[in-house]
Amino acid sequence: MLKALSTSCLQGRLQNLSAKLPANFSYGEPRTPLLRVLGSLRSSNSRNPNLCKRVFFCSDSGDGSNPVVDAEAKPAEAEAVAENAEEVDAKASSAIVPINPRPEDYLTVLALPLPHRPLFPGFYMPIYVKDPKLLAALVESRKRQAPYAGAFLLKDEPGTDPSLASGSETEKNINDLKGKELFNRLHEVGTLAQITSIQGDQVVLIGHRRLRITEMVDEDPLTVKVDHLKEKPYNKDDDVIKATHFEVISTLRDVLKTSSLWRDHYQTYTQLIDRGRGKKRKKKKEVGGKKLGKDWHIGDFNVPRLADFGAAISGANKLQCQQVLEELDVLNRLKLTLELVKKEMEISKIQESIAKAIEEKISGEQRRYLLNEQLKAIKKELGLETDDKTALSAKFRERLEPNKERCPPHVLQVIEEELTKLQLLEASSSEFNVTRNYLDWLTALPWGNYSDENFDVHRAQEILDEDHYGLTDVKERILEFIAVGKLRGSSQGKIICLSGPPGVGKTSIGRSVARALNRKFYRFSVGGLADVAEIKGHRRTYIGAMPGKMVQCLKNVGTANPLVLIDEIDKLGRGHAGDPASALLELLDPEQNANFLDHYLDVPIDVSKVLFVCTANVVEMIPNPLLDRMEIITIAGYITDEKMHIARDYLEKTTREACGIKPEQVEVTDAALLALIENYCREAGVRNLQKHIEKIYRKIALQLVRKGESNEPSQVIGPSEAEEKSVDGLTEAVVVEETQIGSEQGESSNEKLGSEMPAIADQIQTDLQADETCKDDQTVDSTENIGTEGVQENEASKAFDKVVIDAANLSDFVGKPVFHAERIYDKTPVGVVMGLAWTAMGGSTLYIETTLVEQGEGKGILNVTGQLGDVMKESAQIAHTVARAILLEKETDNPFFANSKLHLHVPAGATPKDGPSAGCTMITSMLSLAMKKPVKEDLAMTGEVTLTGRILPIGGVKEKTIAARRSNVKTVIFPSANRRDFDELAANVKEGLEVHFVDDYSQIFNLAIGGDQDTGK
């Protein structure tokens, strides 16, 4: 700050200025540079050199001292020299130090890198010097009364984005730079800076004039030679400069109006300027003859300082500020500054709009909150509304009132205690919400509320038959449950487990049972469940605690005696949160669930009236303690006849309605359904069958829609054309008008299918042949009509077209058959025997083949192939031993097994096979080869054999019987212990089979190879 002061009044003026400044007034950081620059822009009232013989340059140091030094009588060249570091730190009063040499005499200076922004003349800047040599050099130069250095902005590292670099990374990069590397990273133009104070590693600088680096003198610390730069001459009266000058001032004025930060800078500066000028002078707050107002005073700016002022306090990036610093042309510098100040103006406007929007939002929410609170208070005073706690208590009591008489006393006591506790709690406390949720669950449960059950056995039978075909065991058990309840007058809960393969209707039967019993139905799956809290609930101390599934069930159904279906109970998981299977022990135990305790409610709940129905695919996966608590009902699966009825009576009807197709628009023949079941859907369940039926009806729907959109006349395909397409394997859906066009090829395919499955398809085939005969007559008539009428449109096509699905065109809708005939041999050769095996698909036939590899003295050995399991390999070794013993008994002079190397193979080598039930089949195969006698035609057998030849029972009798019928087997051999299982089968399953039950293998030998055919029949 330049001031013209006489030597006689200097001390008084300074004391007066110091006395009027606030005690906490600081000249450091951003305010003081602004004050310094703005102070220098005010014109001096006294420019007459006669009024004062000496002029002083007063600089405000960062520590509060005000050194005043001699200078020439030129305001633009005022100079300052700081005292040494110790005197500056110790003294708080002003000091006068003579200047020698002058600032322009410094042509070699220490180079200080500035990481963030350049230093402008007249502004303070604190920096941190981490280099100990450089810091020592600065302290030393200050002691020698030469406190000047060059401050130069650091260039960005090549290949880096300056906007992404953090401050700590920049400081680290500066500390790593030394010598020539640092010299190359400095901008050429910088500022001659006076060192006002040094405190530790913090150095406070004030800019004086512009410098340009010419060359490097020393590397450590970096010292450079510089040239002092001056602004280019300019004409103060130039109109362009004046206009730009005034525009900068006008923009600064607008920024001062919107930015509180800039306003604080300016107000502090004007206070300092006015005190420095004294009270006698009249304060003129005008710029260019225009008043800015009594609160703001910019002063008489000179143009270069105005440009520096605008750039220094702007928020522009360092490169834009460096551009202003390097510009020596005053007009260009003004333009650059004007651009930066305009940007600040736009930023201030955006800031103001954001602040206004947020303020409006906050004020609106506060206003709404106050109005709501006032409304609540008014309603409460008028008696129109009670407070929240009273309303909650009234709601809970009203909900409990209908079941209050049936509610257990211990539950009523807990509810009353919690209601009293709720009245004492503050609504804002966390315990209030916990208590409210607890009361909500307690009062929502159906305490003692039971639904009226149906004890009519005949009505329950009708409902069960209406929804499901077959499942006789399940239906009988439910009817027994109803009968016992009717005799007792009340029913009790039971735990039933339905086990069987997927798709047999275990889950869907649960809903039908609930409808038959007139009970509410609730289902939840425990497959993969690994948290005990899902069954027993969480403790109320946890955030987000909830009761278990059983309590949620009772709340949802609203009765205390629902039917609860626990699905996939064999797939329970086990994790760090406990074992859910163990938690189910209490829930599914008839002796314990009368007092089931949920962790959340913490009061006993009676679930003894609940009928639990569990479903499982594999019973062996259920833990034994849990399995012991359940009554197991096994659902083996459906045979072909049952699938036919289910598809015709349930699946087809449901699918047709779902696809929006009318019954008269499509016809799926029995032969097509039979082929679909046998060649595509052999699994035990009907889920895959349902998918294929849906696929057929979707294609029919698309065909009908396309035909309706195109409005094409119906195509009637003659017998010859149908035969051609069937032979080529490219048959399309045959579209006829209300009738089906038969073809010779279609009839032959139906006959072939009937020959493969005579027991099931005899009646179906008879009906089809009768239908075909009638349809052939109609086809001839239709063909004659076409010949006479030519290409005229059919009148019948205006009504509708019927799509007929038969065995001949089934593959056009569902693709090629998935399964093929299991029977490999029409007549089994020597060494080949048909066995029966249980599979996940329901059962299949299995061939055992034995052949001779080589013969020689003592070469008796057996090799087995076919991906057999360990149990089946052991059965092969047992069979080899037993067959050898039987052969010696039958033909004592036959050394076949002692001198023959045999190879036993089970076809379908890609399919893993295991189990003991193929033992008797393997013995028969070996004996057939040894005695060179084929076994009886159409014979299949199954049974485990011991080393003594005893036949042990096997499993899967129903599935194996179905497989035998499917392969047109006439005679079946079962162990005698399985006679009871066979007798329980339905008559249609046993029809057409000749079954023999045996205890010893000698009986099988007589049936298969010997001459006795009546043993054990």
Side-chain angles (χ1 to χ4, degrees):
M1 183 187 309
L2 302 179
K3 300 180 183 179
L5 303 174
S6 65
T7 56
S8 60
C9 65
L10 176 62
Q11 185 175 1
R13 290 288 182 90
L14 291 177
Q15 290 177 353
N16 187 24
L17 174 62
S18 177
K20 292 188 177 183
L21 286 176
N24 60 351
F25 188 81
S26 174
Y27 295 95
E29 285 299 326
R31 282 194 178 185
T32 302
L34 173 61
L35 302 179
R36 298 287 300 161
V37 174
L38 292 179
S40 66
L41 297 180
R42 294 178 62 94
S43 60
S44 176
N45 289 332
S46 176
R47 296 187 179 274
N48 192 345
N50 296 326
L51 293 179
C52 60
K53 296 180 180 180
R54 303 178 71 185
V55 177
F56 297 90
F57 181 86
C58 301
S59 63
D60 304 322
S61 62
D63 58 355
S65 61
N66 300 315
V68 181
V69 296
D70 264 341
E72 295 290 337
K74 295 180 181 180
E77 298 179 359
E79 303 155 359
V81 176
E83 295 179 337
N84 56 54
E86 295 78 2
E87 294 173 348
V88 171
D89 297 336
K91 294 184 180 182
S93 60
S94 300
I96 301 175
V97 180
I99 294 180
N100 189 20
R102 297 173 300 175
E104 57 266 27
D105 294 337
Y106 287 90
L107 301 179
T108 301
V109 294
L110 294 170
L112 299 178
L114 303 179
H116 305 300
R117 291 175 65 85
L119 174 63
F120 282 91
F123 282 83
Y124 281 97
M125 177 180 288
I127 65 171
Y128 291 90
V129 179
K130 301 297 183 181
D131 188 356
K133 289 187 178 180
L134 180 58
L135 185 61
L138 293 175
V139 173
E140 184 64 26
S141 63
R142 195 160 183 269
K143 288 181 180 179
R144 291 188 285 104
Q145 298 184 357
Y148 289 96
F152 301 93
L153 181 65
L154 193 69
K155 296 178 183 178
D156 294 325
E157 188 176 353
T160 60
D161 188 356
S163 61
L164 299 179
S166 63
S168 60
E169 292 176 352
T170 306
E171 296 289 345
K172 183 178 179 181
N173 292 338
I174 293 177
N175 298 332
D176 295 339
L177 296 176
K178 301 290 182 182
K180 190 161 186 174
E181 185 181 2
L182 178 60
F183 177 77
N184 293 332
R185 289 280 301 276
L186 296 178
H187 283 272
E188 289 187 1
V189 178
T191 308
L192 180 67
Q194 179 183 349
I195 305 170
T196 62
S197 68
I198 301 177
Q199 296 181 357
D201 58 353
Q202 184 185 45
V203 179
V204 181
L205 307 176
I206 180 171
H208 277 271
R209 60 182 66 197
R210 287 169 169 79
L211 299 176
R212 185 188 300 276
I213 298 177
T214 58
E215 60 178 312
M216 182 174 65
V217 177
D218 193 5
E219 291 190 2
D220 195 15
L222 182 61
T223 307
V224 295
K225 284 187 178 182
V226 295
D227 288 340
H228 293 258
L229 303 179
K230 295 182 180 180
E231 289 83 6
K232 294 180 181 178
Y234 66 95
N235 185 7
K236 294 181 180 180
D237 298 328
D238 185 79
D239 292 339
V240 177
I241 292 179
K242 281 185 177 181
T244 310
H245 171 250
F246 289 146
E247 182 62 24
V248 172
I249 294 176
S250 177
T251 307
L252 285 172
R253 179 182 61 186
D254 294 338
V255 175
L256 290 173
K257 290 180 180 179
T258 58
S259 177
S260 59
L261 180 62
W262 285 44
R263 190 158 51 242
D264 292 342
H265 288 326
Y266 176 71
Q267 289 174 351
T268 306
Y269 165 74
T270 53
Q271 291 175 5
L272 182 60
I273 293 299
D274 291 339
R275 285 170 182 156
R277 293 203 169 192
K279 293 182 180 180
K280 293 183 180 181
R281 297 194 52 191
K282 184 179 180 181
K283 301 177 182 178
K284 296 182 180 179
K285 301 175 182 178
E286 298 180 0
V287 176
K290 298 181 181 180
K291 293 185 178 182
L292 299 178
K294 63 180 181 178
D295 293 333
W296 299 330
H297 179 72
I298 294 180
D300 299 331
F301 288 97
N302 64 50
V303 179
R305 284 299 181 88
L306 177 63
D308 290 346
F309 165 71
I313 64 175
S314 69
N317 61 50
K318 62 182 182 179
L319 295 180
Q320 292 175 326
C321 294
Q322 179 66 23
Q323 190 178 0
V324 175
L325 183 67
E326 294 177 356
E327 185 58 60
L328 300 180
D329 186 87
V330 175
L331 178 58
N332 292 338
R333 191 190 300 174
L334 275 175
K335 290 180 180 179
L336 293 173
T337 300
L338 180 59
E339 182 181 352
L340 299 181
V341 177
K342 287 287 187 183
K343 288 183 180 178
E344 290 293 328
M345 185 64 195
E346 294 300 323
I347 293 174
S348 298
K349 289 181 180 178
I350 296 173
Q351 178 185 354
E352 185 179 4
S353 64
I354 293 173
K356 185 177 180 181
I358 294 176
E359 184 178 356
E360 289 177 355
K361 181 180 179 181
I362 294 175
S363 61
E365 292 177 355
Q366 290 177 342
R367 182 171 178 271
R368 191 180 300 108
Y369 174 76
L370 291 175
L371 290 176
N372 285 331
E373 292 299 320
Q374 291 176 1
L375 182 62
K376 289 180 181 179
I378 292 172
K379 286 184 177 181
K380 188 175 180 181
E381 289 295 328
L382 295 176
L384 300 177
E385 186 178 279
T386 58
D387 59 358
D388 292 341
K389 292 189 288 186
T390 306
L392 280 174
S393 299
K395 183 185 77 171
F396 292 144
R397 293 184 186 277
E398 181 181 357
R399 184 189 294 174
L400 185 64
E401 192 63 32
N403 298 328
K404 191 170 185 179
E405 294 181 358
R406 296 188 293 268
C407 187
H410 63 275
V411 176
L412 285 176
Q413 181 181 355
V414 172
I415 292 175
E416 290 296 334
E417 291 175 356
E418 293 295 325
L419 286 173
T420 305
K421 177 182 176 182
L422 186 70
Q423 294 295 327
L424 301 177
L425 294 173
E426 290 293 332
S428 58
S429 66
S430 59
E431 186 67 20
F432 180 85
N433 292 326
V434 174
T435 305
R436 182 188 60 187
N437 293 335
Y438 183 49
L439 283 169
D440 190 16
W441 281 100
L442 276 178
T443 56
L445 292 182
W447 301 105
N449 184 20
Y450 301 102
S451 60
D452 296 332
E453 291 194 74
N454 171 38
F455 293 118
D456 188 348
V457 177
H458 300 289
R459 179 174 175 273
Q461 179 78 53
E462 292 176 359
I463 293 174
L464 293 174
D465 291 340
E466 179 184 344
D467 293 341
H468 289 80
Y469 183 85
L471 302 179
T472 307
D473 295 342
V474 182
K475 293 177 181 178
E476 282 293 326
R477 182 64 187 87
I478 298 303
L479 296 178
E480 292 169 3
F481 179 81
I482 295 174
V484 171
K486 183 174 183 179
L487 295 177
R488 293 182 70 242
S490 63
S491 62
Q492 292 294 321
K494 288 293 180 181
I495 298 94
I496 299 173
C497 180
L498 305 178
S499 68
V504 296
K506 300 185 298 297
T507 302
S508 59
I509 192 66
R511 195 179 300 274
S512 298
V513 171
R515 192 160 71 92
L517 294 175
N518 195 30
R519 290 195 178 199
K520 297 289 186 179
F521 178 76
Y522 185 84
R523 172 193 170 273
F524 69 91
S525 176
V526 294
L529 191 69
D531 190 359
V532 173
E534 292 291 332
I535 305 297
K536 299 275 288 181
H538 302 84
R539 302 288 181 184
R540 293 199 304 275
T541 54
Y542 299 130
I543 297 176
M546 288 185 64
K549 289 289 186 183
M550 195 62 232
V551 177
Q552 296 177 34
C553 160
L554 296 178
K555 180 182 178 182
N556 289 339
V557 299
T559 61
N561 62 337
L563 187 148
V564 178
L565 181 71
I566 305 177
D567 220 351
E568 311 293 351
I569 198 169
D570 59 328
K571 299 174 181 63
L572 279 168
R574 184 171 185 174
H576 67 280
D579 184 9
S582 302
L584 284 173
L585 293 177
E586 179 186 1
L587 181 64
L588 300 181
D589 191 342
E591 300 299 327
Q592 299 182 39
N593 58 15
N595 294 303
F596 176 70
L597 188 65
D598 185 87
H599 290 160
Y600 183 86
L601 296 184
D602 204 24
V603 292
I605 306 171
D606 183 9
V607 292
S608 60
K609 297 294 197 317
V610 177
L611 176 58
F612 292 98
V613 178
C614 307
T615 67
N617 296 124
V618 183
V619 178
E620 289 75 14
M621 299 295 294
I622 304 175
N624 288 332
L626 185 60
L627 187 64
D628 185 60
R629 286 164 166 78
M630 298 185 292
E631 181 181 349
I632 307 297
I633 299 178
T634 303
I635 304 176
Y638 300 107
I639 61 175
T640 303
D641 188 43
E642 292 174 335
K643 286 186 179 181
M644 286 286 293
H645 283 88
I646 293 171
R648 183 65 75 191
D649 299 337
Y650 301 94
L651 302 181
E652 188 182 4
K653 179 181 177 181
T654 305
T655 305
R656 187 169 56 237
E657 293 176 355
C659 293
I661 299 175
K662 298 178 181 179
E664 59 269 15
Q665 289 180 301
V666 64
E667 179 184 350
V668 181
T669 65
D670 290 339
L673 279 180
L674 189 61
L676 185 67
I677 294 169
E678 290 295 334
N679 299 331
Y680 296 86
C681 310
R682 285 188 184 176
E683 63 280 341
V686 294
R687 187 173 292 142
N688 192 34
L689 178 61
Q690 181 181 6
K691 293 178 183 177
H692 280 77
I693 293 176
E694 290 174 352
K695 186 176 182 180
I696 292 173
Y697 273 87
R698 286 197 305 268
K699 290 187 178 295
I700 293 173
L702 178 61
Q703 186 175 352
L704 292 175
V705 170
R706 281 178 174 171
K707 191 170 186 60
E709 289 177 351
S710 62
N711 235 0
E712 294 177 357
S714 61
Q715 286 186 339
V716 181
I717 304 177
S720 61
E721 296 176 84
E723 183 176 358
E724 267 182 27
K725 294 187 177 182
S726 178
V727 170
D728 294 339
L730 301 174
T731 308
E732 297 292 336
V734 183
V735 182
V736 297
E737 301 166 9
E738 301 183 2
T739 59
Q740 178 189 5
I741 299 175
S743 65
E744 295 179 3
Q745 181 66 23
E747 292 175 1
S748 63
S749 64
N750 290 342
E751 291 173 0
K752 181 179 180 181
L753 184 64
S755 65
E756 292 180 355
M757 296 164 289
I760 302 173
D762 283 344
Q763 184 61 37
I764 298 173
Q765 189 64 29
T766 303
D767 296 340
L768 285 174
Q769 289 174 353
D771 292 342
E772 294 296 337
T773 304
C774 179
K775 291 168 187 173
D776 284 340
D777 296 337
Q778 296 177 357
T779 303
V780 174
D781 296 339
S782 178
T783 308
E784 292 174 357
N785 292 336
I786 293 173
T788 56
E789 295 179 3
V791 292
Q792 294 182 355
E793 185 176 349
N794 244 311
E795 290 182 4
S797 65
K798 298 178 181 178
F800 60 85
D801 294 334
K802 175 177 284 188
V803 180
V804 178
I805 309 300
D806 202 352
N809 60 1
L810 181 64
S811 60
D812 297 330
F813 292 87
V814 293
K816 299 298 180 183
V818 178
F819 301 100
H820 302 281
E822 294 177 351
R823 186 157 185 167
I824 303 176
Y825 305 100
D826 292 334
K827 183 178 180 181
T828 54
V830 172
V832 178
V833 182
M834 182 188 295
L836 298 175
W838 179 92
T839 67
M841 294 295 179
S844 66
T845 56
L846 196 69
Y847 284 94
I848 305 294
E849 301 175 341
T850 306
T851 185
L852 176 64
V853 178
E854 61 177 333
Q855 281 186 322
E857 186 70 25
K859 288 190 176 182
I861 192 172
L862 175 67
N863 293 331
V864 294
T865 57
Q867 201 171 350
L868 308 183
D870 293 337
V871 177
M872 204 164 182
K873 289 179 181 178
E874 291 177 358
S875 295
Q877 294 297 328
I878 294 172
H880 188 260
T881 303
V882 175
R884 187 169 182 173
I886 293 175
L887 184 62
L888 289 176
E889 179 183 345
K890 300 292 183 181
E891 299 179 4
T892 56
D893 56 346
N894 190 346
F896 179 80
F897 288 108
N899 302 328
S900 302
K901 182 178 181 181
L902 304 181
H903 182 185
L904 185 146
H905 177 68
V906 184
T911 306
K913 310 168 191 70
D914 202 1
S917 62
C920 63
T921 314
M922 292 178 178
I923 296 175
T924 307
S925 174
M926 295 178 190
L927 288 176
S928 172
L929 179 65
M931 303 176 71
K932 296 182 174 56
K933 292 181 180 181
V935 298
K936 179 183 175 182
E937 292 184 10
D938 299 329
L939 173 69
M941 62 185 70
T942 180
E944 181 181 356
V945 69
T946 67
L947 280 173
T948 59
R950 300 294 296 176
I951 305 300
L952 301 182
I954 45 87
V957 173
K958 180 179 180 181
E959 289 81 0
K960 292 179 179 181
T961 305
I962 295 171
R965 291 192 58 192
R966 187 166 55 236
S967 296
N968 294 328
V969 172
K970 303 297 184 182
T971 306
V972 179
I973 300 176
F974 282 127
S976 295
N978 291 111
R979 185 188 294 270
R980 180 179 58 85
D981 300 325
F982 184 81
D983 292 340
E984 292 178 355
L985 297 180
N988 59 346
V989 177
K990 299 184 288 184
E991 184 181 357
L993 289 178
E994 180 184 347
V995 183
H996 297 269
F997 299 96
V998 295
D999 293 318
D1000 190 81
Y1001 182 77
S1002 60
Q1003 298 172 282
I1004 299 177
F1005 180 84
N1006 294 332
L1007 289 168
I1009 301 176
D1012 190 359
Q1013 305 294 330
D1014 299 326
T1015 304
K1017 185 174 178 180

